[in-house]
Amino acid sequence: MALKTPEEYEKSLRKMNFKIYLMGELVKNPVDHPIIRPSMNSVKMTYTLANDHEHEDLMTAKSHLTGRKINRFGHLHQSTEDLIKKVKMQRLLGQKTAACFQRCVGMDAINAVDSVTFEMDQRLGTQYHKRFLKFLQMVQDEDMTVDGAMTDVKGDRSLAPHQQADPDLYVHVVEKNDKGIVVRGAKAHQTGAVNSHWILVMPTIAMGKEDADYAVSFVAPADADGIYYIYGRQSCDTRKMEGGTIDVGNAMYGGHEALMVFDNLFVPWENVLMCGEFEFSGLLVERFAGYHRQSYGGCKVGVGDVLIGAAALAADYNGASKASHIKDKLIEMTHLNETLYSCGIACSSQGHKTASGTYLIDLLLANVCKQNVTRFPYEIARLAEDIAGGLMVTMASEKDMKHPEIGKVLAKYLKGAPTASPEDRCRILRLVENLTLGTAAVGYRTESMHGAGSPQAQRIMIARQGNIDQKKKLAKKIAGIDK
Ligand code: SF4
Ligand code: FE
């Protein structure tokens, strides 16, 4: 099998043995848990669309390992065209789910680990790349979802990993033997963790010699003994427990993040992809972050499309769509959204081949892309709230709307333009609320700030890649300065 059906994906998750804590309880059935289920639906969409003839060009690719048709989420980019298709695929999925569909972190991780293990083997004579390709082929053949895990909890930010009061504040190797390694620590904000089959762990920062135990990368089954998850809560998440479809804003789809804890996890050597080669941890971070910063030029744009559509509908339903300032605000939202997309496409089109043959984006442009993502979705969300009006945050609950007496009163007073029913008006306002303040705001707003690295991380890369000296030379030449 090279492509799983969405049903097969769901079934495969049911067979897993995750240990997940959510609101103080151990979750027995994550797939059907009302808070987790919408996030599973989003990942499931990556399988649904790959099996849909209309989208196969974006959603699938030809494996460079086997020549078989595979899901693009398991593909190593073989050209700039592949990089561009990746961004287009992410925009499509953002449009279909209006949420984080989670599978990109694994795609970005396999692409980064491929080129870095190749270069590491070349320089140090290690044997990691072969192991990685064996894992990759299994991922492709079985159409697995992989969760890339990079961000450590980091403790005191002024201290290096080995200087922390508690050595577990960065993931590290605590034991090595002839069979493998034992790992302890935790990865924070793990997108899609409990909807994944495997995890691919990477170091979180560039490291020095004294941090060699922390320069560790490996793969493990996501439900391995020695891994457990503490599920992150989101604003308005308990609305999903109420059983309705209006107040949640987006009843079908969502995203999730969790704290992933390694409690003396044993990893056999065949699954270890870096162990002590601290000189390569910075390169791995730079490439993974670069790919994920490119990703945001696709996924956030697709979600932005839904938000712009919702704002335009809210204006229609309010009877305000002909007002010139509303039209102008929608133009501004579109302009900002398409600027992000332009950045995603630009850093992809200017990509280049690495030594392993896998294509890497233009790092400067990918960082510019993500820097814009730390700002523009906030402005798009501000304009959406402006257009939606205050009712978005003051309106009554779905239960009141469905109440035999109060419901009639609300239907009378929530009437807007004759083109929409009061219920449709509420549905659209709740969707805007969901994207700007509710569960999806994790993915659309705060993740736009901090996901794939906080703004300062991009500014450091922009400073490094910006080539100011070359620009000085240009200016000197034009100004007639010889020295
Ligand atoms: Fe994919 Fe975007 Fe979610 Fe990252 S934030 S996993 S790029 S959908
Ligand atoms: Fe993310």
Side-chain angles (χ1 to χ4, degrees), residues 73 90 99-105 108 191 257 292 295-296 299-300 443 447:
F73 281 95
Q90 290 168 312
C100 166
F101 37 90
Q102 306 143 58
R103 210 173 161 184
C104 327
V105 270
D108 293 340
T191 296
E257 273 76 27
H292 210 52
S295 287
Y296 280 28
C299 79
K300 302 292 179 248
E447 194 180 34

Side-chain angles (χ1 to χ4, degrees), residues 212-286:
D213 286 344
Y214 296 83
V216 60
S217 175
F218 59 87
V219 291
D223 61 348
D225 267 354
I227 303 178
Y228 60 89
Y229 302 90
I230 306 171
Y231 201 88
R233 77 170 310 178
Q234 300 173 331
S235 168
C236 310
D237 52 7
T238 45
R239 289 190 194 184
K240 292 179 186 169
M241 315 275 278
E242 294 170 8
T245 60
I246 300 176
D247 287 356
V248 281
N250 182 351
M252 269 302 279
Y253 304 105
H256 76 240
E257 273 76 27
L259 183 72
M260 180 188 280
V261 183
F262 304 111
D263 183 13
N264 293 324
L265 170 72
F266 171 72
V267 185
W269 281 114
E270 64 190 44
N271 289 344
V272 176
L273 301 170
M274 177 189 281
C275 185
E277 293 81 5
F278 60 89
E279 318 92 298
F280 281 84
S281 63
L283 189 66
L284 186 48
V285 173
E286 181 179 291

Side-chain angles (χ1 to χ4, degrees), residues 7 73 95 109 136 156 230 244 324 341 376 396 404 416 449 472 482:
E7 295 75 27
F73 281 95
Q95 291 171 343
L136 181 68
D156 181 342
I230 306 171
S324 63
Y341 186 53
F376 296 177
M449 180 69 79
K472 281 184 189 168
D482 302 330

